[in-house]
Amino acid sequence: MHRIGVLGGTGEIGSRILNLLKGEYSLMASYHSQARPSAAGCEYVKLDIADTEQLQHFCRQCDVLINCAGASFLNGEKVARMAADWQVPYIDPSGEAFLEERLRDRKDEAVFVLSAGYFPGMSGLLMRHVCQSFDTPETISGLSVSEEIPSMSAIEDFILTNLSGFGTALSYYEQGAVVRDEGERMERIRGREFRFQNYLTVETARVAQRYGLQEAHWYHSSFGDRVIRKLQEAVIQYKLGRAGYKSIVREVIEIFRQTMAGREPFSYTRIEGQGLLGKERALMRAEVSSPYSSEISAIIAAYAAKAVLAKPLPPGIYYAMDIINMEEILKDLAELKAEIRISKVVLEQEVDDEYEEGEL
């Protein structure tokens, strides 16, 4: 039986990945301070990710390695290179463009799967699914919003990946060019108003280029002025090399905790595409929702591991949307803690300009 290793197996994403894979694979999970007893099919191992010898010992026992141990920006490159040394495919629920650039020198030696989470990850998979539903895809747009209390590593990853750049703010894709747009749009979701602005992510641009789209948008939701100011403070502290940015991150978590008091958590992503289906111009919509974004991240990371084990990939750097079969997720939906809805609306039917000749 293949063995899947999960670093950070007691965290929000890691523990959910283990629940999805248990009984189907042999599992090994690391923990740092929250000890868990091993059980049938899952061995828990105490591990300090900073200890190279411990990390090597963990990696070489796995057929696939999923890294959920803290912010990917801080440890992703180290763990990915270690996995490559032992020819173990590496999966990162985050990773994004910054890690792709850092690992470019190893891309011909091992398998790396990046952006295997909620966003990016599920967002790209849904965009790909919508585009493939058309004979001729033309446009795509997506948005995502979460109302939940984020973890320390989630906020760290957000701050640090923004510093490295995972897209172009206030911009969208049009006919192969990046177009500036400083406008805002308001959407009412789950009874609340949310403010969005264009943010052309690397993931969205990849989809647009792959399918030759005329236009592509990703709409980023605002955290609100108070949180944004705190995040800006944290960025400044980090750039100055001060560990004080971590205390600001804790303040941000407290702001979210106060905001979420009495509210039910949720995460929601919507993708809409337009294109041709035969002679019909149609709109395709894909929506995914779950109480927790970490549940969606776990689904994508788990199915990325399944895909790697089911069909060995040649060495290279992949995004999760490149390798996961969406039909597999839809087939298993009843067992997953997420809701996915896909719908189609015919907008117009094209008519051929052909007329029968007659006599007067």
Side-chain angles (χ1 to χ4, degrees), residues 308-327:
V308 168
L309 291 173
K311 185 179 179 181
L313 298 167
I317 299 173
Y318 303 86
Y319 279 30
M321 68 175 180
D322 298 328
I323 66 170
I324 293 176
N325 182 350
M326 187 66 183
E327 300 304 321

Side-chain angles (χ1 to χ4, degrees), residues 30-335:
S30 79
Y31 66 89
H32 184 258
S33 56
Q34 301 178 39
R36 295 269 179 95
S38 297
C42 184
E43 178 186 1
Y44 282 93
V45 177
K46 182 175 175 60
L47 184 147
D48 180 353
I49 203 166
D51 188 314
T52 300
E53 189 174 330
Q54 288 183 15
L55 189 58
Q56 283 183 334
H57 183 67
F58 189 95
C59 284
R60 64 174 181 253
Q61 297 181 73
C62 304
D63 296 304
V64 174
L65 182 67
I66 306 175
N67 183 14
C68 302
S72 176
F73 189 91
L74 298 176
N75 65 45
E77 182 182 4
K78 174 185 177 178
V79 178
R81 288 181 178 276
M82 183 78 68
D85 289 342
W86 296 95
Q87 292 297 296
V88 176
Y90 173 83
I91 296 173
D92 199 315
S94 180
E96 301 167 332
F98 77 87
L99 194 52
E100 180 178 6
E101 187 61 35
R102 291 181 183 180
L103 296 174
R104 201 171 293 281
D105 64 314
R106 303 293 300 269
K107 68 181 178 65
D108 297 324
E109 302 173 27
V111 171
F112 306 97
V113 182
L114 312 181
S115 296
Y118 171 52
F119 165 70
M122 176 62 87
S123 46
L125 188 59
L126 289 176
M127 282 191 274
R128 188 198 75 189
H129 183 76
V130 167
C131 286
Q132 289 179 341
S133 299
F134 295 106
D135 296 322
T136 306
E138 296 174 335
T139 68
I140 200 86
S141 68
L143 61 79
S144 182
V145 63
S146 274
E147 283 237 306
E148 56 185 318
I149 301 169
S151 66
M152 186 87 175
S153 59
I155 296 179
E156 280 189 302
D157 241 356
F158 179 83
I159 292 171
L160 300 175
T161 52
N162 266 279
L163 280 174
S164 64
F166 69 95
T168 307
L170 303 175
S171 301
Y172 66 94
Y173 177 99
E174 184 176 22
Q175 302 286 5
V178 177
V179 180
R180 184 79 175 174
D181 177 18
E182 298 184 15
E184 293 184 346
R185 61 182 287 181
M186 300 296 294
E187 288 259 356
R188 192 168 184 81
I189 300 171
R190 298 285 182 97
R192 287 197 60 222
E193 291 286 340
F194 291 90
R195 185 177 65 191
F196 295 89
Q197 288 184 304
N198 264 303
Y199 194 113
L200 181 60
T201 64
V202 172
E203 183 181 58
T204 306
R206 286 175 95 247
V207 171
Q209 291 161 2
R210 177 184 297 183
Y211 294 100
L213 301 181
Q214 299 169 14
E215 198 169 305
H217 297 258
W218 181 264
Y219 292 100
H220 206 55
S221 63
S222 172
F223 289 123
D225 294 339
R226 188 181 174 198
V227 170
I228 289 173
R229 283 196 299 271
K230 286 293 181 183
L231 293 176
Q232 289 170 339
E233 288 177 28
V235 167
I236 293 169
Q237 291 294 315
Y238 180 82
K239 284 182 174 180
L240 292 173
R242 297 172 182 167
Y245 85 92
K246 288 182 177 290
S247 66
I248 299 174
V249 170
R250 284 189 283 271
E251 289 179 41
V252 171
I253 292 173
E254 184 56 34
I255 292 172
F256 276 102
R257 187 172 285 112
Q258 293 169 8
T259 303
M260 286 297 298
R263 292 182 184 172
E264 289 294 322
F266 78 90
S267 62
Y268 172 78
T269 296
R270 184 179 73 220
I271 307 295
E272 290 183 339
Q274 289 191 33
L276 295 177
L277 279 169
K279 295 181 182 296
E280 296 177 341
R281 173 163 280 103
L283 181 145
M284 189 77 67
R285 175 179 290 171
E287 300 169 277
V288 61
S289 58
S290 176
Y292 301 101
S293 59
S294 54
E295 195 70 61
I296 306 294
S297 293
I299 290 169
I300 298 303
Y303 277 78
K306 288 184 178 186
V308 168
L309 291 173
K311 185 179 179 181
L313 298 167
I317 299 173
Y318 303 86
Y319 279 30
M321 68 175 180
D322 298 328
I323 66 170
I324 293 176
N325 182 350
M326 187 66 183
E327 300 304 321
E328 289 293 314
I329 294 180
L330 294 174
K331 183 187 70 177
D332 296 343
L333 199 56
E335 302 169 22

